[in-house]
């Protein structure tokens, strides 16, 4: 692949991960507040916000490499309504701005908790709209490997899966930092972290189950479809079968196996160090798997012009 296509790989992965992390963090904060109060929930989640913004900034910078220059990005936004690419850039900018406003209000504790939640919810919806617009960019009749329901399903699954595992890694990083400053772990914070990791581990298992169902069905669809789709299936299975197996293996181990172990270990007190190793490993393995998967997505590009 060319440099611009690699920029797209990193942009889509980074943007989807930042959206997923933002959404997942909001959900965790909501339920943690109901369980232990808003102050304790904020203590758990506020530091994790630090990791979301830089990831999106990196993703947006990568998108400019694909477009070629900031001028072309401006032209894309100016064509809003004429193409999904315009909507993708539009929602990407709005999500970045909305997320930054929410983070500032949250860190400074400006406004009421209800106001901050409304701002956070709006930013999350803008992020989900970004992922939807991103998927629609590739729903092209001339691209048989992309113009299927598997594209939006896989984009949203990647968004949530990377978000779940990124937040899990962020939580154990926050705990490690707090523990280094104060070895006595506050009972409420430890309980909240374990509860969150237990839920995140279960969510990872469910999401990897979705991927394990959708991807084989997708390959089967291509293999039984028109000649152009069959050509893509043959290319993937013959030329990239090692990457296909590696991608499925990494996501199964990272999200399926390690996610299940995190769910099990999080139910026991005193396993924080083990949870940290598991959370970091799961995130790293799945991130690699998703980069491989997005690489395979772009190499499946085969231009096909239907007759008539």
């Amino acid at each position: 692949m060319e440099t611009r296509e690699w920029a797209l790989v990193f942009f889509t992965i980074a943007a989807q991960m930042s959206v997923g992390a933002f959404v997942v963090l909001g959900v965790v904060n909501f339920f943690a507040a109901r369980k232990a109060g808003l102050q304790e929930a904020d203590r758990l989640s506020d530091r994790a916000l630090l990791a979301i913004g830089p990831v999106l900034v990196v993703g947006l910078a990568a998108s400019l490499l694909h477009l070629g220059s900031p001028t072309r990005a401006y032209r894309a936004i100016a064509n809003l309504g004429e193409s999904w690419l315009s909507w993708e850039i539009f929602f990407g900018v709005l999500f970045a701005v909305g997320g930054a406003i929410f983070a500032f209000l949250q860190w400074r504790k400006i406004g009421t908790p209800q106001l901050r939640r409304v701002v956070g919810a709006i930013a999350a919806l803008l992020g989900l709209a970004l992922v939807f617009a991103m998927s629609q960019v590739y729903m092209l009749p001339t691209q048989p490997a992309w113009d299927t329901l598997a594209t939006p399903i896989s984009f949203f699954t990647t968004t949530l899966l990377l978000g779940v595992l990124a937040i899990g890694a962020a939580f154990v990083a926050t705990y490690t930092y707090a523990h280094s400053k104060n070895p006595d772990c506050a009972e409420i914070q430890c309980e909240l972290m374990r509860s969150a990791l237990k839920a995140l581990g279960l969510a990872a298992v469910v999401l990897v189950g979705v991927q394990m169902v959708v991807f084989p069905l997708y390959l089967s669809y291509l293999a039984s479809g028109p000649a152009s789709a069959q050509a893509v299936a043959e290319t993937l299975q013959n030329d990239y079968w090692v990457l296909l197996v590696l991608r499925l293996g990494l996501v199964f181990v990272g999200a399926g196996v390690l996610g299940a172990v995190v769910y099990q270990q999080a139910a026991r007190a005193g396993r924080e160090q083990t949870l940290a190793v598991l959370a970091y490993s799961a995130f790293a393995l799945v991130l690699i798997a998703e980069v491989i998967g997005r690489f395979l997505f772009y190499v499946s590009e085969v231009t096909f012009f239907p007759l008539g």
Side-chain angles (χ1 to χ4, degrees):
M1 292 199 306
E2 298 180 356
T3 301
R4 291 184 179 182
E5 292 170 321
W6 276 111
L8 269 180
V9 170
F10 293 120
F11 160 62
T12 56
I13 292 292
Q16 289 167 20
M17 180 167 60
S18 62
V19 170
F22 193 90
V23 171
V24 170
L25 186 60
V27 173
V28 170
N29 181 269
F30 175 79
F31 284 103
R34 295 186 63 181
K35 181 176 182 178
L38 184 61
Q39 183 176 0
E40 293 294 340
D42 286 350
R43 287 182 61 194
L44 175 71
S45 59
D46 278 359
R47 286 195 183 99
L49 277 171
L50 290 171
I52 300 175
V55 170
L56 183 60
V57 170
V58 170
L60 291 174
S63 71
L64 293 181
L65 291 177
H66 171 68
L67 290 171
S69 70
T71 301
R72 293 186 66 183
Y74 170 79
R75 291 175 180 174
I77 295 177
N79 291 329
L80 192 64
E82 297 181 8
S83 72
W84 280 107
L85 177 60
S86 301
W87 285 109
E88 176 187 307
I89 298 172
F90 178 71
F91 284 125
V93 172
L94 288 184
F95 170 64
V97 172
I101 293 174
F102 170 77
F104 178 77
L105 296 177
Q106 182 69 12
W107 289 327
R108 297 288 185 176
K109 297 299 183 261
I110 298 174
T112 64
Q114 292 76 13
L115 173 64
R116 296 197 297 271
R117 282 182 175 172
V118 169
V119 174
I122 292 173
L125 290 175
L126 289 170
L128 295 174
L130 165 62
V131 177
F132 178 76
M134 195 180 295
S135 70
Q136 295 305 300
V137 169
Y138 301 98
M139 300 290 284
L140 303 171
T142 57
Q143 297 294 336
W146 296 350
D147 192 25
T148 72
L149 283 177
T151 295
I153 292 174
S154 64
F155 274 30
F156 275 102
T157 304
T158 294
T159 296
L160 295 176
L161 184 56
L162 287 179
V164 162
L165 296 177
I167 291 302
F171 281 161
V172 296
T174 298
Y175 165 78
T176 301
Y177 174 81
H179 187 70
S180 67
K181 298 296 183 181
N182 181 11
D184 295 327
C185 177
E187 182 178 352
I188 295 178
Q189 283 296 302
C190 283
E191 176 62 27
L192 284 179
M193 184 190 71
R194 289 196 302 271
S195 296
L197 288 176
K198 185 177 180 181
L200 294 174
L202 179 61
V205 172
V206 172
L207 289 167
V208 77
V210 173
Q211 286 199 348
M212 290 299 175
V213 171
V214 171
F215 193 70
L217 290 176
Y218 168 69
L219 287 180
S220 176
Y221 165 79
L222 292 180
S224 61
S228 56
Q230 292 180 26
V232 173
E234 291 177 3
T235 298
L236 291 175
Q237 294 174 3
N238 294 334
D239 298 342
Y240 298 100
W241 68 271
V242 173
L243 290 180
L244 282 174
V245 173
L246 180 61
R247 192 256 176 182
L248 291 174
L250 287 175
V251 77
F252 177 76
V253 172
V257 176
L258 294 185
V261 176
V262 166
Y263 176 83
Q264 180 186 41
Q265 293 294 314
R268 306 175 184 178
R271 300 296 180 91
E272 285 78 17
Q273 291 185 346
T274 300
L275 285 172
V277 174
L278 291 171
Y280 292 145
S281 299
F283 174 65
L285 291 177
V286 173
L287 180 59
I288 294 171
E290 293 299 335
V291 170
I292 294 174
R294 197 53 50 84
F295 167 83
L296 294 172
F297 177 81
Y298 284 111
V299 299
S300 68
E301 179 182 6
V302 177
T303 303
F304 169 66
F305 297 99
L307 298 177

